[in-house]
Amino acid sequence: MKISNKRVRLENLIGVLLFIVFILMVISCKKEKKVNKEITLPFFNSSLFTPEWISKESERYKSIHSIPNFNLINQDGKDVTKQTYEGKIYVADFFFVSCPGICPVLEKNMSILQEEFVNDKDVLLLSHTVMPSKDSVSVLKKYAEDNNVISGKWNLVTGNKDQIYNLARKAYFADEDFIKTKDENAFVHTENFVLIDKKGRIRGVYNGTLGLDTKRLIRHIKMLKKES
């Protein structure tokens, strides 16, 4: 009789444990809800640019890499900070006015983005000069006028060189040479367009010298708008 009672209690205990395991599995499945990769852009958390699809239910969601605070000055002499882009989708790049190589092509493709989203208040552009010692506010203003840059839509910014270089390398992961060499004294020169979402997180990287990549960027901005 005693053996029978022990067996019953053991079976009941096993049943309870199995039920608890089942509940935990259900909760876990809910937390690890799969992301639809066909309609959702990935996140990029390091200079390796490994795409990561992270659901809002995941514990990793709160620690996704985001652009830190910054304080720069645009072509109109106005302060441009992270708050300027808060709640906005934007595309960032790095250039300098006297650049004879890739910069004119970057400007051309940024202009295509400006035209595509000219009436969309949720989409902005941000170009950082990597030669702030020469690209003063007045120089950027002249460049903006020559290239039909719309103030408020597209900010050309200058400021502290160390801050701009740190943003390029450690915030936007835009400087491929630095990723390889870690040489702090090297000149920043990159053709990357970096797509940032409304919470300041990197959602895509594109070759700004390529028309096809610019078209892909436009599609991804529209995808990100739907996601937002």
Side-chain angles (χ1 to χ4, degrees):
M1 187 73 172
K2 290 182 179 179
I3 294 175
S4 179
N5 288 338
K6 285 182 179 179
R7 183 177 295 170
V8 170
R9 286 198 296 271
L10 180 60
E11 289 175 350
N12 288 338
L13 179 61
I14 292 172
V16 170
L17 290 173
L18 288 173
F19 179 74
I20 292 172
V21 170
F22 173 75
I23 294 298
L24 290 173
M25 287 177 64
V26 171
I27 294 172
S28 176
C29 287
K30 287 184 177 179
K31 283 186 177 180
E32 296 300 322
K33 185 179 179 181
K34 288 187 177 181
V35 178
N36 188 339
K37 295 181 180 181
E38 293 184 2
I39 60 173
T40 307
L41 296 178
F43 297 97
F44 296 89
N45 289 309
S46 76
S47 58
L48 296 175
F49 279 113
T50 303
E52 298 182 67
W53 281 267
I54 304 172
S55 72
K56 292 181 180 180
E57 292 80 11
S58 171
E59 292 181 0
R60 294 187 297 148
Y61 190 80
K62 295 180 181 178
S63 59
I64 294 171
H65 172 80
S66 64
I67 306 304
N69 292 325
F70 57 86
N71 197 325
L72 300 166
I73 304 171
N74 74 0
Q75 68 268 28
D76 297 316
K78 296 181 179 179
D79 288 339
V80 173
T81 68
K82 183 177 180 179
Q83 284 65 45
T84 306
Y85 289 85
E86 190 171 356
K88 305 292 184 181
I89 295 168
Y90 72 96
V91 179
D93 78 335
F94 295 83
F95 81 115
F96 60 103
V97 169
S98 59
C99 168
I102 65 171
C103 295
V105 184
L106 295 178
E107 180 277 321
K108 175 186 173 184
N109 287 327
M110 271 290 203
S111 294
I112 290 173
L113 296 177
Q114 177 179 249
E115 183 178 355
E116 178 71 27
F117 298 101
V118 65
N119 296 316
D120 192 331
K121 295 180 179 180
D122 285 335
V123 180
L124 302 178
L125 307 174
L126 177 60
S127 293
H128 311 71
T129 176
V130 295
M131 200 177 282
S133 60
K134 291 188 176 181
D135 292 345
S136 62
V137 169
S138 60
V139 170
L140 292 180
K141 183 66 174 178
K142 177 68 165 56
Y143 182 87
E145 291 171 349
D146 290 344
N147 292 283
N148 299 312
V149 172
I150 300 173
S151 293
K153 169 62 68 175
W154 181 359
N155 286 304
L156 312 177
V157 291
T158 187
N160 179 273
K161 179 181 176 181
D162 289 341
Q163 181 184 185
I164 292 171
Y165 275 49
N166 278 328
L167 284 170
R169 291 165 171 167
K170 299 176 182 179
Y172 294 99
F173 309 130
D175 186 4
E176 299 95 332
D177 289 337
F178 178 74
I179 292 168
K180 297 172 185 175
T181 66
K182 303 299 180 184
D183 182 1
E184 295 278 356
N185 297 314
F187 184 70
V188 169
H189 207 209
T190 172
E191 70 273 10
N192 284 346
F193 283 173
V194 186
L195 176 60
I196 310 298
D197 70 14
K198 291 185 176 183
K199 294 185 178 180
R201 302 167 304 191
I202 299 175
R203 307 302 297 275
V205 184
Y206 312 82
N207 188 323
T209 67
L210 300 179
L212 284 176
D213 246 22
T214 303
K215 290 179 180 179
R216 184 167 67 93
L217 173 53
I218 290 171
R219 292 198 304 272
H220 285 184
I221 291 172
K222 292 177 180 179
M223 283 177 62
L224 197 53
K225 281 180 62 65
K226 291 179 181 179
E227 179 184 322
S228 299

